[in-house]
Amino acid sequence: MAAYTLKRCLGAVKVIQKCGNHSFIARRCLLSTPYTDTKLWDAREKDHQNLALLAALMDRTYDRNFPVSSLSISRFVDNISSREEVEQAEYYLYKFRHSPNCWYLRDWTVHSWVRQCLRYGARDKALHTVKNKVQYGMFPDVFTFNILIDSFIKDEDFKGACSVVEEVMLQESFDLPTTQILSLYALSNYLATKPELSMSEERALGASLLISGLKQDGSIGLSAQLLGCALLGKVEMAAGIHAVFRGMPLMWTPGYLGRALAVMERVAAAPGDGKLSKDAVDYLAGLLQDLSSASDSSSGEDDESGGEEGKKEEEVDEDDQAERDKLPLYASRFKDLSGQLQSRGKVDPSPLQVLVSSLVQQSLASAEGPDMEQYQRKVGEWEAERQQLIRREKEMRERAEEDRRAHQAAKAAAKQG
């Protein structure tokens, strides 16, 4: 029922789209061409390799139980020229991750891998390796996350975009305004498609909304926090607080529905013009109603079966049960706070999707500049480090060759003597 309520609330987006004031929502204004352009990346000094020979060399190295260098795997990724070679590179990235040198996968190799996947129509491979980061060592920097999220959004694959946003959330990498805006855009548009969400999806979306919302001021950040806490509160009520925070950068103390109400209370009491989107408030209202109805129904069933002997009671953590017992209090408090918000004009009729689309129009272009400057510096640093590794490799090979020749000369002299 709560899922239905979310659908009903977010369905209002289509109605508001018809209004002249919000007609911009149909236009996709995302990362600019200069931001996603590959010219700077492609301008690096080329290190051309025959991938068949390089693959054979790495295979022999692994067979002899020697470590493959991070430079070798970097060269393989940089020289990809087809979808088939993307799949070969995936294999060697996996092998490298499970080798003694696994800690030395370079940041520029991760960036190059994502770029190559996007270039050769293998975005699914990029997403797979990022989602399975422990197996592949894929921990992208924020700029790389941005271009990957953007590629999904431009194809209106909002579910895929949200999968990347989940990884941003797990790495707690919402520092850049561009990442915050792209993430909230992906999340709000995905929810507007009225998806049927599993509990794990509700948890991931809730955590992503909450953490990205904490980085934003005003109505968008507050509405995202409210909706995020509501989704997490739903998971908490169904499966307990441990199901919420395990493996997530979240607070482990119970009370996510209480935190959602705290957001409402903060907005109601604030003197500024901060508001909450109506769809977020309506979702919390529907959720509390559904939870209260389910609780009443469960209590009735327990009363009817109370005389049965040998019935096995489900074990419930004391803190989780205490939180469930607060439902009537939460429902009453919500009713009071909702009235306060309405009377003080603190409820924005625009859905979160519309508010975020407006933010994209107003702020994304100006936020790109600092990112691009930082990326240019980073590419320079990466290239300097790569050239240093190439020189070091050359020196080691020359030293090894000198040692080999000296050893041969000593053997020859010994024979002559």
Side-chain angles (χ1 to χ4, degrees), residues 75-184:
R75 284 169 173 151
F76 198 100
V77 172
D78 283 344
N79 282 274
I80 290 172
S81 60
S82 67
R83 167 77 192 221
E84 181 182 357
E85 289 173 353
V86 168
E87 295 177 356
Q88 293 173 358
E90 179 191 359
Y91 167 76
Y92 286 108
L93 284 167
Y94 179 87
K95 289 277 288 184
F96 187 83
R97 179 61 175 175
H98 292 79
S99 73
N101 273 358
C102 62
W103 301 108
Y104 300 104
L105 184 67
R106 306 294 171 173
D107 290 343
W108 71 76
T109 304
V110 176
H111 180 74
S112 181
W113 165 250
V114 172
R115 289 250 189 219
Q116 297 287 53
C117 287
L118 295 179
R119 175 175 293 175
Y120 294 106
R123 188 174 59 196
D124 58 318
K125 292 295 183 182
L127 181 59
H128 173 73
T129 53
V130 169
K131 296 293 288 183
N132 294 276
K133 50 190 174 292
V134 175
Q135 299 299 323
Y136 292 93
M138 287 291 138
F139 297 89
D141 65 292
V142 181
F143 192 92
T144 308
F145 269 133
N146 283 355
I147 61 175
L148 185 55
I149 295 171
D150 180 70
S151 70
F152 280 103
I153 291 177
K154 284 183 175 175
D155 289 341
E156 299 190 11
D157 182 358
F158 298 117
K159 183 175 183 179
C162 287
S163 293
V164 183
V165 173
E166 180 183 351
E167 296 305 312
V168 177
M169 176 270 295
L170 290 171
Q171 292 190 32
E172 300 182 74
S173 298
F174 287 116
D175 294 330
L176 296 183
T178 46
T179 311
Q180 299 162 22
I181 295 170
L182 286 171
S183 298
L184 287 168

Side-chain angles (χ1 to χ4, degrees), residues 398-414:
E398 289 174 351
R399 193 177 303 122
E401 181 63 20
E402 289 174 1
D403 291 343
R404 186 184 67 82
R405 289 176 179 175
H407 181 67
Q408 288 179 341
K411 283 180 67 176

Side-chain angles (χ1 to χ4, degrees), residues 382-397:
W382 285 345
E383 185 61 11
E385 187 177 355
R386 186 173 73 97
Q387 292 302 325
Q388 182 182 15
L389 288 177
I390 291 173
R391 289 193 297 270
R392 187 184 303 167
E393 180 188 62
K394 183 178 179 182
E395 291 170 1
M396 291 177 65
R397 285 179 176 174

